[in-house]
Amino acid sequence: MAERRRLRASWGALLWLTAVWVLLWGDLSLANVLGGVAVALAVTTLTPLPRTPFDGRFRPGGLVRLLARFALDVVVASVQVAWRAITGRPLRGAVIRVRLRSHSDVYLSLTAGMTSLVPGSIVI
């Protein structure tokens, strides 16, 4: 028997996917927005992600501090990598293990994603 698929995506996911679609096309038009909504509905219906429980609490102040610190780290790391490239000084590699307070997949994904976006770093 064919399994019946139903929409399980949140409004936030649909809006995000639609915004990404419009940005990829580079033109804000009604056709692009409707096309983005159609693609977002298709993606979230045909390939749904499993629900991930969120154990924490949303704190806007903490999010602002996190984003400010992340932006500062990206700027500092970019300057350091550029300076190493200009001076030709060799880089030192290191493997660092960090234990997270939470075992949540959401926190692990956010930490790995933000770490890999800082210039000069690789997540293994």
Side-chain angles (χ1 to χ4, degrees):
M1 292 189 168
E3 176 184 325
R4 184 175 172 201
R5 296 193 186 268
R6 52 180 255 251
L7 179 65
R8 289 181 23 181
S10 66
W11 285 104
L14 293 174
L15 288 174
W16 174 252
L17 289 171
T18 302
V20 168
W21 179 265
V22 171
L23 288 173
L24 285 173
W25 280 99
D27 181 32
L28 180 61
S29 68
L30 182 61
N32 276 344
V33 172
L34 292 177
V37 169
V39 169
L41 284 170
V43 166
T44 56
T45 303
L46 298 176
T47 58
L49 292 173
R51 296 267 182 211
T52 14
F54 181 65
D55 303 344
R57 197 176 347 165
F58 179 71
R59 296 184 176 131
L63 179 64
V64 169
R65 281 197 340 253
L66 172 68
L67 293 178
R69 177 61 193 242
F70 177 68
L72 177 67
D73 286 346
V74 168
V75 170
V76 169
S78 298
V79 170
Q80 289 174 345
V81 168
W83 183 249
R84 294 272 185 170
I86 291 170
T87 60
R89 292 176 54 195
L91 295 173
R92 291 182 323 179
V95 176
I96 299 171
R97 179 179 175 182
V98 177
R99 292 198 185 269
L100 299 177
R101 289 188 207 171
S102 174
H103 297 289
S104 168
D105 290 338
V106 174
Y107 291 126
L108 180 62
S109 299
L110 286 173
T111 303
M114 292 181 80
T115 304
S116 67
L117 289 174
V118 174
S121 65
I122 298 173
V123 176
I124 300 175

